[in-house]
Amino acid sequence: MATGNGNRKSPSNAVKIILVIVAVVFLISWISKATTGMADSTWLNIRDGFLITFAAFLTLSIFSFLYNDNPFYKFAEHLYVGVSAAYWMCLGFWSIIVGNFVPHASKTLSTFFKVPFQEYSWFYYVAFAFGVILLMRLLPKAGWIARWPLAVIIGTTAGFNLSRYLHSDFMSQVGNTFQPLFVDWQGAGHFFSNLSLAADGQLVMSAGNWIVVVGVLCGLVYFFFSKEHKGMFGAASRLGIWILMITFGASFGYTVMGRISLLVGRITFLFDDWLSIL
Amino acid sequence: MTFHERMITLDRRWIFLTLAVFVIIPFFLEFDIPVTVSKEVRDIYDFIEGLEAGDYILVGIDYDPNAMAELHPMSYAIIKQCFAKKLKVITLTLSQYGAGMAEQVVRDVADSTRIYHGFEPVYGEDYVFLGYRPYYAFVILGMGRDFRIPFPQDYYGTDLDSLPMMRGIRNYDQVECVIDMNGGTVADAWVSYGNGRYNVKLAFGLTGVMAADFYPFYQSGQIFGLMGGMKGAAEYEQLVDKPGPAKEAMKMQVFAHIVIIVFIGMANIGFFLGRRSRTKAGEVL
């Protein structure tokens, strides 16, 4: 068991050689990008060359995980986490503390941060105090007081989300399952004489509404567990699971397309922006 | 090891390698993939085409760099169309990593509009970038009362009332529609608060992963259009007659999907052959 840096193994010669090769390749890339850059000044070309080369290095480092875990991947992963955390913290300070709190808290601070002072509001001081109290979690003896703002956050979020989902994801969606099963019905004669497979035709639109209504009902039956799934009820339940599977299949198909899009995006960057061979 | 056992125990790295090769090959081949425009994408295009010059439109660029490959082409295509129609474009981002990308899109499209349409959109008169504010739900609700509540200043620190195009605009009532390019949970909030609370006419450009979940909102009329993933972006590029990275990426998509279908087929064949041989072995025993 390793007990400290003294027991850590030094990298093997093979690893050292790989590191040197990678460093040389990316140094050549940097020089090449810097000398062929289109920016107005040499300094900008050197900077842009470094950024593109470093971005390519990080992309390849992340891709290297597909082969196996390795130090390049670990470096890229840790860098990403660190930079993201720092970026978010800075953004939080400037957008929440400076952007929201300062303009309502102090004219002096507003002048200092160059944001227009709006008006004093006690509400912002309460929010600020809650924010400070939330940080009390860092103190073991006063940690309990952090539950108060946490309770406010949870209560507010629950209240907001309840009304939000009730309206948009429940009422509107349920209301929309009440569809006419025979769209624009004017009798069988009219239906057959105007039979068409057009997307906005009577047949296709009616069939679509049937699928929605039957799909919703059968999907609900599948999740109804107070009655044994046998007979007609069982058949509806089986149809419900088929509907669910088709839905999951559609989602999976879209997911595959999304993931391939990310791959295409990165490969385009490597071949176009970095290697300039497209 | 039998053939079917090899098929289902294939080292995944071979799959990654094959996929990479088949995604790279089309880069060097000259061919075109026909793109059929779907109704949900055309609805967005038709709506924007139906607007008058000078109408206001709000474009949300609410995604992180990880969704850039799919959503950036949509943002470019939409804003190009808006500038070509001489609409007043308000852009903002509700994603904490989105500000840089949003600014890039608006700046690039403004430059290209000057080149291709001979008309130079002027910042503050034809378009404005409000920047980023945290807590998207409250920002969306706040803009319903007044844009100045969440955004007293634009991204560059200019007071909104100092910008000519923002003087005549107070809230969503003066905006014809919101087109939101979205790679996260902000889309839910736009439906719930933007459309649900303020009846904003809403359309989405979404990542492929999210698109299937939002079709019910399109079907219910809560959103009037939907672009799903890179395919949606390619369709829109085709509609605005500006083939771009999404249309180009359809070549790689086709190759990649064929490879994935082949591997799924191989795994299933391997699975069923294996099950049959195990059943036979069971019968013998």
Side-chain angles (χ1 to χ4, degrees):
Chain A
M1 185 180 166
T3 53
N5 290 341
N7 290 351
R8 193 173 287 168
K9 282 184 182 176
S10 61
S12 66
N13 284 338
V15 172
K16 285 178 186 169
I17 291 168
I18 290 171
L19 283 171
V20 169
I21 291 171
V22 170
V24 169
V25 166
F26 283 95
L27 194 63
I28 292 169
S29 161
W30 182 9
I31 294 167
S32 166
K33 297 300 292 184
T35 51
T36 57
M38 306 287 283
D40 295 336
S41 72
T42 311
W43 160 243
L44 285 176
N45 282 328
I46 291 171
R47 187 200 66 181
D48 291 348
F50 174 75
L51 291 176
I52 289 176
T53 303
F54 193 53
F57 167 72
L58 292 175
T59 300
L60 292 172
S61 297
I62 295 289
F63 278 160
S64 70
F65 185 74
L66 295 174
Y67 182 76
N68 212 343
D69 201 1
N70 64 77
F72 293 110
Y73 172 75
K74 283 271 183 262
F75 170 74
E77 184 188 31
H78 285 83
L79 186 72
Y80 175 73
V81 172
V83 168
S84 297
Y87 178 78
W88 207 343
M89 190 174 165
C90 292
L91 204 63
F93 176 78
W94 286 103
S95 58
I96 298 171
I97 304 288
V98 176
N100 285 346
F101 175 67
V102 168
H104 299 275
S106 159
K107 280 182 183 172
T108 315
L109 282 174
S110 297
T111 311
F112 179 76
F113 285 112
K114 295 176 183 164
V115 288
F117 178 76
Q118 291 178 10
E119 58 182 345
Y120 286 111
S121 170
W122 63 269
F123 180 77
Y124 285 84
Y125 283 101
V126 173
F128 184 78
F130 270 30
V132 173
I133 293 171
L134 201 58
L135 291 174
M136 291 294 178
R137 287 179 66 86
L138 300 172
L139 304 173
K141 286 186 179 174
W144 59 272
I145 204 170
R147 291 177 190 164
W148 292 357
L150 210 56
V152 172
I153 292 169
I154 291 169
T156 313
T157 309
F160 262 105
N161 282 344
L162 179 72
S163 58
R164 162 185 164 176
Y165 281 107
L166 203 62
H167 184 269
S168 64
D169 290 53
F170 186 71
M171 297 299 286
S172 298
Q173 290 297 312
V174 169
N176 199 56
T177 57
F178 291 88
Q179 300 278 354
L181 295 175
F182 299 99
V183 177
D184 193 24
W185 186 253
Q186 296 171 38
H190 178 267
F191 177 76
F192 285 110
S193 59
N194 293 292
L195 201 59
S196 150
L197 289 176
D200 55 352
Q202 196 180 10
L203 175 67
V204 174
M205 290 185 71
S206 298
N209 288 354
W210 272 96
I211 291 170
V212 169
V213 173
V214 173
V216 168
L217 291 176
C218 292
L220 287 172
V221 166
Y222 175 74
F223 287 107
F224 190 81
F225 302 118
S226 301
K227 179 174 164 55
E228 198 173 354
H229 291 187
K230 289 166 74 176
M232 280 295 289
F233 202 73
S237 168
R238 276 194 297 282
L239 185 58
I241 191 74
W242 272 96
I243 299 278
L244 288 175
M245 287 300 156
I246 290 167
T247 310
F248 297 149
S251 282
F252 179 69
Y254 260 119
T255 304
V256 168
M257 183 179 76
R259 300 303 181 225
I260 296 297
S261 301
L262 302 187
L263 177 64
V264 170
R266 283 296 81 194
I267 288 178
T268 306
F269 166 76
L270 290 175
F271 280 84
D272 194 5
D273 296 345
W274 183 43
L275 297 174
S276 308
I277 56 174
L278 287 181
Chain B
M1 188 180 281
T2 59
F3 177 68
H4 60 259
E5 281 174 335
R6 275 190 193 156
M7 279 202 283
I8 53 176
T9 57
L10 182 69
D11 190 333
R12 66 171 70 177
R13 285 175 289 196
W14 287 112
I15 300 174
F16 297 147
L17 183 65
T18 313
L19 198 58
V21 168
F22 277 89
V23 168
I24 290 169
I25 286 172
F27 272 103
F28 303 101
L29 300 178
E30 284 293 328
F31 65 100
D32 194 33
I33 296 288
V35 174
T36 311
V37 179
S38 52
K39 184 179 178 303
E40 54 271 25
V41 176
R42 184 175 287 281
D43 284 347
I44 301 176
Y45 177 81
D46 289 344
F47 185 88
I48 295 177
E49 280 299 298
L51 296 177
E52 301 288 328
D55 282 345
Y56 284 82
I57 183 169
L58 195 152
V59 179
I61 299 180
D62 300 334
Y63 51 89
D64 294 344
N66 58 13
M68 204 171 155
E70 290 181 277
L71 301 182
H72 234 35
M74 292 181 195
S75 303
Y76 274 92
I78 289 277
I79 296 177
K80 270 177 192 166
Q81 186 192 6
C82 293
F83 281 161
K85 288 280 301 176
K86 298 191 176 179
L87 304 178
K88 306 274 187 197
V89 183
I90 303 167
T91 54
L92 59 90
T93 179
L94 300 176
S95 160
Q96 64 268 31
Y97 299 113
M101 293 186 305
E103 194 195 14
Q104 180 197 21
V105 173
V106 178
R107 201 179 48 224
D108 285 356
V109 179
D111 283 347
S112 69
T113 306
R114 186 177 60 232
I115 295 164
Y116 293 112
H117 296 281
F119 145 69
E120 185 172 356
V122 179
Y123 185 82
E125 291 180 17
D126 302 302
Y127 68 99
V128 65
F129 176 44
L130 299 180
Y132 165 76
R133 279 287 179 275
Y135 303 112
Y136 50 82
F138 299 107
V139 175
I140 293 167
L141 284 170
M143 287 192 294
R145 288 172 57 201
D146 193 331
F147 280 101
R148 287 151 195 81
I149 294 173
F151 295 102
Q153 297 171 307
D154 71 354
Y155 182 64
Y156 307 101
T158 311
D159 288 349
L160 285 203
D161 290 322
S162 308
L163 300 165
M165 73 170 263
M166 293 306 288
R167 280 181 204 141
I169 183 165
R170 182 176 169 80
N171 53 33
Y172 298 131
D173 291 344
Q174 289 83 44
V175 173
E176 299 300 325
C177 72
V178 174
I179 313 280
D180 192 48
M181 263 57 74
N182 207 298
T185 52
V186 185
D188 285 312
W190 271 116
V191 173
S192 306
Y193 302 127
N195 176 264
R197 171 74 178 79
Y198 290 106
N199 278 325
V200 172
K201 276 198 80 67
L202 192 61
F204 284 136
L206 301 170
T207 58
V209 177
M210 297 167 64
D213 293 338
F214 280 82
Y215 270 91
F217 294 117
Y218 174 70
Q219 194 252 345
S220 66
Q222 288 166 279
I223 58 175
F224 72 86
L226 175 63
M227 292 178 281
M230 204 167 249
K231 172 73 165 54
E235 290 175 31
Y236 213 86
E237 285 181 351
Q238 177 142 317
L239 281 169
V240 296
D241 201 21
K242 298 235 175 354
K247 183 85 167 40
E248 184 69 16
M250 283 298 105
K251 296 193 300 188
M252 300 81 179
Q253 287 280 357
V254 168
F255 271 63
H257 286 200
I258 290 170
V259 170
I260 289 167
I261 289 167
V262 168
F263 275 118
I264 289 174
M266 279 172 59
N268 276 280
I269 290 167
F271 172 77
F272 285 111
L273 286 176
R275 192 167 72 172
R276 197 170 72 174
S277 65
R278 281 195 301 276
T279 310
K280 279 184 181 172
E283 284 170 5
V284 171
L285 287 171

